[in-house]
Structure formats: structure tokens, C-alpha cells
Amino acid sequence: MKPVVVTLCGSTKFKEAFIEANATETMSGKIVLSVGGFDHAEGVVLTESQREMLGKLHEHKIDMSDEILVLNVGCYIGDSTKHEIEYARKLGKSVRFLEKQS
């Protein structure tokens, strides 16, 4: 049986949550797609064109996925992540959250 493909979504300031979720999801037998870097957590300043390119790249990862896992640490969901959730739902992808939504 083909493994489930999951894309991790959330703010790149939550580097540890991404690392932990990647390991947990992988050990549960899933293929994990994630961010390529942690600009917020590491203080990397991106240009607007880099941000746009990374956003489009993440949409392609969602296209390839069966589901997304939103890493909403402290129930925080920023604008980019909100867009990714809407995008995934529009495609009929399953959306899971690390923390319960209130």
C-alpha cells in the first residue's frame, strides 16, 4: 500500500515543532514534505520575490500531498499558513492541526 504524503505547514519560527513533527510523521510511516529553511527562527531576511517563490513551491508540495499538518504552536496561525489551509481545503486535502483549534 502506498504511504500517505503529508506536508507540514506553519510559521518557520517554530523550527523545533517542524523537526519533531517530521520525525513523528516519518516514524508513523508517512512521507513528509516540509519547509526548506527556517528564516524566521534563524533571522534570515528574504526578499519579496524569494517569499513568493517559496510560497508557490509550498503550494506544489500541497498538490503532491494527501494531507497537511498545521503546526499551530500556541494556536498561532499566520497569514501564509491560513492561505495554505484554504488552498489545501480547496483541493480536497485533509487538514490536521498539531493543537486543537478553539
Side-chain angles (χ1 to χ4, degrees), residues 16-79:
E16 291 303 316
F18 273 92
I19 293 168
E20 204 172 293
N22 192 336
T24 300
E25 295 294 305
T26 298
M27 291 309 294
S28 73
K30 296 179 181 175
I31 296 171
V32 180
L33 303 177
S34 188
V35 296
F38 299 98
D39 48 287
H40 283 103
E42 296 172 352
V44 175
V45 178
L46 299 174
T47 66
E48 188 57 36
S49 64
Q50 287 172 321
R51 266 195 208 64
E52 287 178 23
M53 180 270 299
L54 291 172
K56 289 293 180 196
L57 194 58
H58 213 69
E59 284 182 355
H60 288 297
K61 291 175 185 178
I62 293 169
D63 291 340
M64 297 168 60
S65 298
D66 300 303
E67 64 181 16
I68 68 169
L69 173 57
V70 179
L71 304 179
N72 57 330
V73 176
C75 293
Y76 175 79
I77 298 177
D79 290 338

Side-chain angles (χ1 to χ4, degrees), residues 10 51 77-85:
R51 266 195 208 64
I77 298 177
D79 290 338
S80 294
T81 305
K82 286 177 188 171
H83 170 78
E84 292 163 356
I85 293 167

